[in-house]
Amino acid sequence: GAYGYPTDSCVVLGDTSSQEFTCADDDTITYNLYSTNDCSGDATTLEDYCSGGTVCTGYCGQTGTCGVVTLSSYAATDCTGDVQYEQSIITDYCGGLAKFECN
């Protein structure tokens, strides 16, 4: 299945990397990969991400807002300390086999 990933939402991939999808001025998706864990600094970018053979559809230029849920994974079992991984996903979006909802 697929998930709906929000734009302008930083994904922590580990201690020294993160990624973010953004909308370009022409309403295409740009993929940004950072060598920091907070999407700061210079990024390696891939413009028009969804046209490069990836299985995705960009929805830039849409009106309205989507609900977003964020999963944060910590090194400590009491959810303190540094975030090891963090991912935000759009709620109420069916991506084939999965859908995240708030009850």
Side-chain angles (χ1 to χ4, degrees):
Y3 305 109
Y5 298 114
T7 56
D8 301 319
S9 178
C10 184
V11 177
V12 178
L13 301 174
D15 289 339
T16 59
S17 63
S18 56
Q19 68 183 13
E20 180 179 40
F21 295 96
T22 56
C23 288
D25 291 340
D26 61 356
D27 288 336
T28 59
I29 298 290
T30 300
Y31 172 76
N32 303 288
L33 180 64
Y34 297 88
S35 60
T36 61
N37 68 351
D38 62 357
C39 295
S40 65
D42 294 329
T44 300
T45 61
L46 179 58
E47 296 179 357
D48 202 4
Y49 180 76
C50 291
S51 71
T54 60
V55 181
C56 72
T57 302
Y59 292 100
C60 294
Q62 299 291 314
T63 58
T65 58
C66 299
V68 174
V69 62
T70 301
L71 166 71
S72 299
S73 176
Y74 295 86
T77 57
D78 63 352
C79 297
T80 60
D82 293 337
V83 173
Q84 302 298 304
Y85 176 82
E86 191 167 72
Q87 174 70 59
S88 295
I89 297 173
I90 297 173
T91 59
D92 299 319
Y93 169 82
C94 180
L97 299 174
K99 182 178 180 181
F100 289 86
E101 297 179 299
C102 293
N103 294 325

